[in-house]
Amino acid sequence: MKKIIILLILITNTVSAQYTDFNIVKEVKVRNKGVVVSAHPLASEAGAKILRMGGNAYDAVIATQYALAVVYPQAGNIGGGGFLVGVKNNGERFTIDYRETAPHKASHDMYTDKSGKADTDLSQNGRLAVGVPGSVAGFFATLKYCKLPMDKLIQPAIDLAEKGFAITRQEADLLNAHKEYFQKHNKSNIAFVKDIPWKTGDLLIQKELAETLKLIQKYGQKGFYEGKTAGLIVSEMKKGNGIITLEDLKNYKVAERKALEFDYKGNNIVSMPLPSSGGILLAQMLKMASYENLEKYQLNSTKAVQIMVEAERRAYADRAEYMGDPDFIQDKTSYLISDEYLKSRWKSFSFQKATASAEVGKIIKQPAESTQTTHISVIDKEGNAAAVTTTLNGLYGSKVVVSGAGFFLNNEMDDFSIKPGVPNMFGAVGGEANSIQPNKRMLSSMTPTIIMKGGKPYMVVGTPGGTTIPTSVYQSVVDVIDFKLTANIAVNSPKFHHQWLPETVAFEKNFPETTITELEKLGYKAERKGQIGRTELILMDDDGSIHAVADGRGDDSVAVE
């Protein structure tokens, strides 16, 4: 039996109830074992438990997602949506799009008043901000790739919700910080609010959510999209200005799409196509950076960062103009990632100065960004791999909990261009390609990605972070392939981000100041950020061992089969 080496354990919570004794494991290196990396140790352990029961990577990813809906309510969900990128051990690639959709009563100008002014509060908070959830349908669409039945995959989440679990310091702080919003948007009692502040080690018990999960366990997909739960969602809509109907829920469909694939320095990149902008942006940024032979520069040097920032600038300008739901617009992916187009795009690059964003689009003042969403990376001992990114959009989504059902609803309608030129909560600007239409999927930045080398998975990677997601994945790929960094350093080294608008480049607080100063001399405007993303990365080393790393920025954790 192979020895499992745990290189780093950050904390151990030991209290006096069932789900209160767990480790946050940041890094493991194993052979002939499956691994799960997610935002919470109990969710990762739920996936690993399924692997130990004989499940494969896709079984594990379903169990992990359900568990995250319980233990990571700020982003894990059954009331949101997401994307899955999978590569089977026979080489088959597939994606599952379970992005939320606009209700059939949605309209182009639903968030603008009579004077034409956009009201972003309506698109970000409360019941009108909610898109039709896709997560549960996505889990069932994944089931055909699994080995175990859904009733077994959902059971760990039911146990966690019913018996409760000890919350970490970060979770306590978030619940306390959002108490006012929870009370504003929920008149009934919810599990996430109590009279005294939450503290580390407190038990979070979610009886209503447990019952909702049991309905899914008993009735399958209809246990969510029809029957009692669907009725509770619609009743919640009627408490405010929500527009989701029973028909919207019953008619929701996942979309299985052809993966976006491209070559980068002998590696086959497999990522998510539209309506995720992430795969296209990743292809554009990697290809443009390659025109300057990025690998010849040092990590985080002035020239390396400048090349990467300018690739980001041009890619995000294209995001605003061209990208949206491919079922509603002309899909220009092949043109946007072609060398012919990208080389023409790169002609304006100069090492002498920053490119003005005005040269690639109209300048509009932007708000500050936020960091949300959650990612799971999984590989099993048979070589099946899955990268999954899901979201409620903002932290705790719309802040609305379905009364009687116990889960948060998304505020995903804000990811549409609620008015062309008006930025969303992440500062992303969009145009008509991403305008609101009934049943349309809103554009996303989620970038679940699997990299293949020699026909086998080499890297499984993804992160939360709104519009910072593609740039964080971009940096992770470059760090490993171009700069030859280890998985741990690639995940935990300081990140930077630029998205065309605003003009500023965001740097994590521990980024080298000398590089920032030199970039400012070239005309770049710097902004310091506390944190960018929380990357979950699995890397197959040359000796065949699996190296899995959970981001040190949060409670993220690795679990082993």
Side-chain angles (χ1 to χ4, degrees):
M1 188 170 182
K2 300 291 183 182
K3 184 179 180 181
I4 299 172
I5 304 172
I6 299 180
L7 299 179
L8 180 63
I9 300 177
L10 285 191
I11 66 170
T12 302
N13 291 328
T14 304
V15 208
S16 59
Q18 185 162 2
Y19 294 106
T20 56
D21 184 5
F22 54 87
N23 295 331
I24 295 180
V25 180
K26 288 298 180 184
E27 184 175 1
V28 300
K29 189 176 258 191
V30 298
R31 292 176 66 91
N32 303 317
K33 293 280 186 180
V35 295
V36 180
V37 194
S38 83
H40 196 284
L42 289 172
S44 296
E45 177 55 30
K49 178 181 179 181
I50 293 300
L51 291 176
R52 292 192 288 270
M53 290 171 59
N56 63 20
Y58 313 112
D59 293 291
V61 96
I62 292 175
T64 305
Q65 288 175 101
Y66 274 125
L68 283 169
V70 180
V71 300
Y72 197 66
Q74 60 264 46
N77 68 83
I78 57 172
F83 299 122
L84 180 150
V85 173
V87 177
K88 295 172 66 176
N89 58 6
N90 64 3
E92 178 187 346
R93 285 93 152 134
F94 65 95
T95 77
I96 302 175
D97 168 3
Y98 45 101
R99 183 71 161 151
E100 302 91 331
T101 58
H104 77 270
K105 290 183 180 179
S107 59
H108 187 280
D109 300 318
M110 63 187 286
Y111 299 114
T112 56
D113 60 23
K114 292 180 180 179
S115 66
K117 183 180 179 181
D119 187 344
T120 55
D121 182 60
L122 288 177
S123 68
Q124 295 174 11
N125 300 292
R127 292 157 185 82
L128 191 61
V130 183
V132 182
S135 288
V136 174
F139 304 162
F140 278 91
T142 309
L143 199 57
K144 70 180 182 181
Y145 300 100
C146 296
K147 296 168 69 175
L148 301 178
M150 186 64 81
D151 65 324
K152 290 191 183 327
L153 305 182
I154 200 172
Q155 189 61 49
I158 292 172
D159 293 340
L160 286 163
E162 199 162 45
K163 298 173 184 177
F165 65 97
I167 63 172
T168 65
R169 178 188 59 78
Q170 287 200 13
E171 291 165 338
D173 289 346
L174 280 174
L175 288 171
N176 291 331
H178 286 80
K179 180 178 180 179
E180 179 182 343
Y181 296 101
F182 297 157
Q183 292 175 321
K184 177 181 178 180
H185 293 290
N186 300 277
K187 301 308 178 187
S188 57
N189 293 329
I190 62 173
F192 309 100
V193 173
K194 62 177 188 173
D195 294 335
I196 60 174
W198 291 94
K199 63 183 186 301
T200 305
D202 281 351
L203 275 182
L204 176 57
I205 299 171
Q206 300 168 76
K207 295 289 187 181
E208 288 184 349
L209 178 56
E211 292 306 309
T212 300
L213 295 172
K214 287 178 183 178
L215 289 173
I216 298 171
Q217 186 181 47
K218 184 175 182 178
Y219 298 110
Q221 188 168 323
K222 289 184 177 181
F224 183 85
Y225 290 96
E226 299 179 41
K228 179 182 177 181
T229 301
L232 290 172
I233 293 171
V234 173
S235 295
E236 195 63 55
M237 293 291 105
K238 293 177 179 177
K239 293 178 183 178
N241 50 5
I243 58 175
I244 292 176
T245 65
L246 289 174
E247 290 74 22
D248 287 322
L249 293 165
K250 186 176 180 179
N251 294 332
Y252 179 86
K253 296 287 189 298
V254 301
E256 297 198 36
R257 305 185 187 277
K258 183 179 179 181
L260 191 157
E261 296 187 52
F262 61 95
D263 180 79
Y264 183 66
K265 299 186 177 179
N267 300 277
N268 176 226
I269 314 286
V270 184
S271 195
M272 195 69 204
L274 290 174
S276 171
S277 65
I280 299 175
L281 293 174
L282 184 61
Q284 288 187 307
M285 293 184 297
L286 287 170
K287 287 186 176 186
M288 283 189 278
S290 72
Y291 300 151
E292 297 297 331
N293 298 314
L294 182 64
E295 70 278 3
K296 74 180 183 182
Y297 300 102
Q298 289 187 337
L299 173 73
N300 292 340
S301 65
T302 302
K303 287 191 174 181
V305 174
Q306 185 180 13
I307 290 166
M308 295 178 72
V309 164
E310 293 299 345
E312 292 170 356
R313 189 192 307 273
R314 289 155 177 79
Y316 276 82
D318 285 347
R319 182 191 194 275
E321 183 171 355
Y322 297 113
M323 299 182 203
D325 185 339
D327 297 331
F328 285 76
I329 65 166
Q330 182 182 357
D331 186 347
K332 297 185 177 181
T333 298
S334 58
Y335 173 68
L336 292 173
I337 67 173
S338 68
D339 282 313
E340 177 186 10
Y341 173 72
L342 293 174
K343 285 179 179 178
S344 69
R345 211 61 171 116
W346 197 246
K347 285 181 180 178
S348 58
F349 171 77
S350 170
F351 277 120
Q352 305 308 309
K353 62 183 179 66
T355 303
S357 286
E359 292 182 18
V360 289
K362 181 181 178 182
I363 297 294
I364 300 172
K365 183 176 174 58
Q366 307 295 293
E369 287 186 27
S370 304
T371 302
Q372 282 83 25
T373 309
T374 189
H375 180 81
I376 307 163
S377 292
V378 182
I379 193 164
D380 63 32
K381 63 186 177 185
E382 296 170 347
N384 301 294
V388 178
T389 313
T390 70
T391 187
L392 287 167
N393 198 30
L395 280 168
Y396 305 104
S398 62
K399 317 300 185 294
V400 175
V401 175
V402 179
S403 182
F407 62 89
F408 283 100
L409 290 167
N410 67 82
N411 62 341
E412 210 62 70
M413 293 297 287
D414 188 61
D415 267 1
F416 282 116
S417 301
I418 65 171
K419 181 181 179 182
V422 174
N424 69 5
M425 69 188 303
F426 301 102
V429 176
E432 285 298 331
N434 189 39
S435 62
I436 302 171
Q437 293 182 55
N439 305 312
K440 186 178 183 180
R441 284 166 157 83
M442 56 291 292
L443 187 64
S444 172
S445 294
M446 293 184 284
T447 317
T449 299
I450 299 172
I451 300 179
M452 309 289 289
K453 180 188 286 186
K456 296 181 179 181
Y458 169 57
M459 182 190 300
V460 185
V461 63
T463 181
T467 46
T468 70
I469 293 173
T471 56
S472 292
V473 173
Y474 168 44
Q475 286 171 247
S476 298
V477 174
V478 164
D479 284 353
V480 171
I481 293 177
D482 292 281
F483 298 130
K484 311 300 182 187
L485 300 185
T486 66
N488 188 304
I489 297 175
V491 166
N492 292 301
S493 61
K495 300 287 193 298
F496 59 91
H497 169 76
H498 179 63
Q499 61 182 50
W500 173 52
L501 297 177
E503 192 89 29
T504 54
V505 182
F507 295 93
E508 280 191 304
K509 56 186 177 182
N510 53 343
F511 200 87
E513 283 295 327
T514 52
T515 297
I516 296 174
T517 300
E518 291 175 3
L519 288 166
E520 287 176 327
K521 291 176 182 177
L522 294 171
Y524 292 91
K525 299 174 184 177
E527 176 186 13
R528 273 68 170 182
K529 289 280 189 181
Q531 177 180 314
I532 297 176
R534 285 167 59 173
T535 306
E536 321 295 7
L537 190 149
I538 299 171
L539 193 64
M540 295 292 293
D541 291 343
D542 291 338
D543 64 0
S545 59
I546 297 172
H547 194 177
V549 175
D551 202 305
R553 295 167 178 83
D555 296 326
D556 310 54
S557 187
V558 183
V560 181
E561 179 182 356

